Amino acid sequence: MIKGIGESLNVMRQSQRLAPSSLTNIASQPQIIETQRTISKHRLDSYQRWAQTTAEQHSISASQVALQSLTQAKQLLQQLSRVLQMLQQETKGREDTRQAMLDNAETLRQQLIALAPSYQGIQLLDHHFNLLSSSSTVASHAFVFKSVDLIASKERSEKIHIQLGRYSRVMQLPAGYNRESLLQLISPVFKELGIALEWSGQELIYKASNQAWLAVQAGVLMMGEGQRLPAGELRQILIEPRYHWQDPREWNLVNSEQLKTSQAKIAKTQQKINQHSAEIEAVHQVLLGRIRSVQTKGTDVIGLEATSALKSLYKYMQPHPFSYQIASLMAQGNTNRDQVGALLG
């Protein structure tokens, strides 16, 4: 071991003595620019097939998860519809029997509300049972402020402070403005917070994006100058949700007069879910049929047909990047950073 250390020290001393002359020789030599090594065509084709196959597998898996949730929603809606029919027939029945049916209906409603399928952290259905894709957005969440009317006309101007999550905004509401003018004035401010405004003729509806809705549920803080809001300090403003008819939380399951209306809403929701399920199942059948016909058709034809069919599945899921997997594969192929960047686009 000592001998090995001594030999290493001798090598280091020799390297130090030779270093100046070696640097001079290197400097005197013409610089040779290393040409960038290109990736062979067959390797690029392999990477492309690998990425395409992986993306197709994820698309099919996501569509299967969405289809399973739609099937579950369909079954729950059928059970809920039967319970509502029985409630209509039990108007003069025993009170305990009717209460048991109402409890059953509420349990089914909560199960429908809890349906939130996702694939690899990507949401596949929103709270209106809409299939989500890269081109579609989650349905907004509507609400109103219970005790605040920001577009009420006042004789004095007022400065409004709004705190939503980690964002804060200040609005100056002039005196003497009517509702339409105030609505146009505050709409851009709320748009920056992810909230759209809509005057229904009776109340101001706030429609929050999915992310903004999470902040709204955590609490909206406001402060005014004694016109529309009290002065002093920021205080939490109570909200009241406004549900769409496609949202199970909007269906009235208690009032006997509203049961028929709720059944109609359930029937329309069933039609939507049946349509979504049929679309996904049709694509699955096309893929299965083309895979079975691989022995009778050429490989190129099958590839083109399969690609065409798989493209229709992309609308049922958000595109998921595979940059980490591809980057790892590129590293195994001994490619440099520029080549990896060019391939990942």
Side-chain angles (χ1 to χ4, degrees):
M1 179 177 179
I2 296 176
K3 181 179 179 181
I5 295 175
E7 293 176 351
S8 300
L9 291 174
N10 291 332
V11 171
M12 289 177 63
R13 294 191 190 98
Q14 293 176 4
S15 300
Q16 291 174 355
R17 289 196 299 268
L18 293 175
S21 60
S22 301
L23 291 174
T24 304
N25 293 334
I26 293 174
S28 62
Q29 294 177 358
Q31 294 184 357
I32 301 175
I33 300 176
E34 182 181 357
T35 58
Q36 187 177 15
R37 184 178 58 182
T38 60
I39 304 176
S40 60
K41 185 178 183 300
H42 73 275
R43 182 176 291 179
L44 287 173
D45 293 340
S46 299
Y47 294 154
Q48 185 177 2
R49 286 195 299 269
W50 175 85
Q52 182 178 0
T53 301
T54 305
E56 291 169 353
Q57 289 175 346
H58 283 301
S59 298
I60 294 174
S61 298
S63 67
Q64 289 174 338
V65 173
L67 182 59
Q68 182 179 5
S69 297
L70 289 172
T71 302
Q72 184 178 357
K74 188 189 309 183
Q75 295 172 351
L76 291 172
L77 287 171
Q78 290 174 350
Q79 297 177 28
L80 182 57
S81 181
R82 287 197 295 267
V83 172
L84 295 186
Q85 289 178 358
M86 294 171 62
L87 277 171
Q88 287 181 308
Q89 298 172 359
E90 290 288 337
T91 53
K92 297 181 180 180
R94 294 175 54 184
E95 184 61 28
D96 56 347
T97 303
R98 180 176 176 80
Q99 186 60 45
M101 292 181 183
L102 289 173
D103 293 341
N104 188 16
E106 184 60 30
T107 300
L108 294 171
R109 188 221 298 265
Q110 293 302 322
Q111 292 177 3
L112 283 167
I113 296 173
L115 280 179
S118 63
Y119 180 76
Q120 293 190 343
I122 301 170
Q123 187 177 354
L124 301 177
L125 285 177
D126 64 11
H127 53 289
H128 292 173
F129 302 104
N130 296 316
L131 285 168
L132 301 181
S133 67
S134 57
S135 59
S136 62
T137 56
V138 181
S140 60
H141 300 264
F143 66 95
V144 298
F145 291 123
K146 294 187 67 173
S147 58
V148 176
D149 187 1
L150 291 179
I151 59 174
S153 180
K154 298 294 180 177
E155 296 180 356
R156 290 194 306 167
S157 62
E158 184 178 24
K159 182 183 291 185
I160 304 292
H161 295 261
I162 304 174
Q163 180 76 35
L164 182 63
R166 57 188 180 92
Y167 299 103
S168 61
R169 294 292 186 272
V170 177
M171 300 183 301
Q172 185 70 35
L173 304 184
Y177 272 42
N178 57 24
R179 288 190 176 276
E180 290 75 13
S181 300
L182 288 173
L183 180 59
Q184 293 179 0
L185 184 64
I186 69 175
S187 291
V189 179
F190 278 94
K191 185 178 181 181
E192 295 175 358
L193 300 174
I195 299 176
L197 306 185
E198 179 181 315
W199 173 249
S200 66
Q202 297 179 345
E203 58 185 3
L204 181 59
I205 306 295
Y206 299 80
K207 295 185 176 181
S209 64
N210 203 39
Q211 184 176 2
W213 176 242
L214 297 177
V216 169
Q217 289 179 307
V220 183
L221 302 178
M222 287 190 188
M223 179 182 67
E225 294 179 336
Q227 295 296 297
R228 301 166 186 83
L229 285 161
E233 61 182 11
L234 290 170
R235 61 189 65 193
Q236 184 166 348
I237 307 301
L238 298 178
I239 67 168
E240 186 175 324
R242 291 289 184 267
Y243 300 119
H244 193 268
W245 68 264
Q246 298 177 78
D247 194 323
R249 287 168 291 192
E250 193 273 342
W251 303 338
N252 192 322
L253 307 181
V254 179
N255 192 331
S256 300
E257 298 179 356
Q258 295 293 328
L259 288 180
K260 289 185 177 181
T261 304
S262 298
Q263 279 188 303
K265 297 173 182 177
I266 292 173
K268 290 182 180 179
T269 306
Q270 285 178 308
Q271 292 177 0
K272 174 196 283 191
I273 291 178
N274 291 336
Q275 182 180 356
H276 290 332
S277 301
E279 291 174 355
I280 298 178
E281 290 174 346
V283 174
H284 286 177
Q285 290 299 321
V286 170
L287 286 173
L288 183 59
R290 287 172 180 173
I291 292 174
R292 289 174 177 173
S293 62
V294 70
Q295 296 180 349
T296 60
K297 294 184 178 180
T299 305
D300 294 338
V301 176
I302 292 299
L304 292 174
E305 291 182 347
T307 301
S308 175
L310 284 166
K311 283 182 179 179
S312 58
L313 279 177
Y314 290 152
K315 65 180 180 180
Y316 300 119
M317 69 171 291
Q318 299 278 2
H320 187 71
F322 303 99
S323 56
Y324 292 109
Q325 296 94 325
I326 296 179
S328 176
L329 192 60
M330 295 296 107
Q332 296 176 17
N334 297 324
T335 57
N336 58 35
R337 182 176 297 178
D338 294 335
Q339 292 169 333
V340 172
L343 287 171
L344 295 179

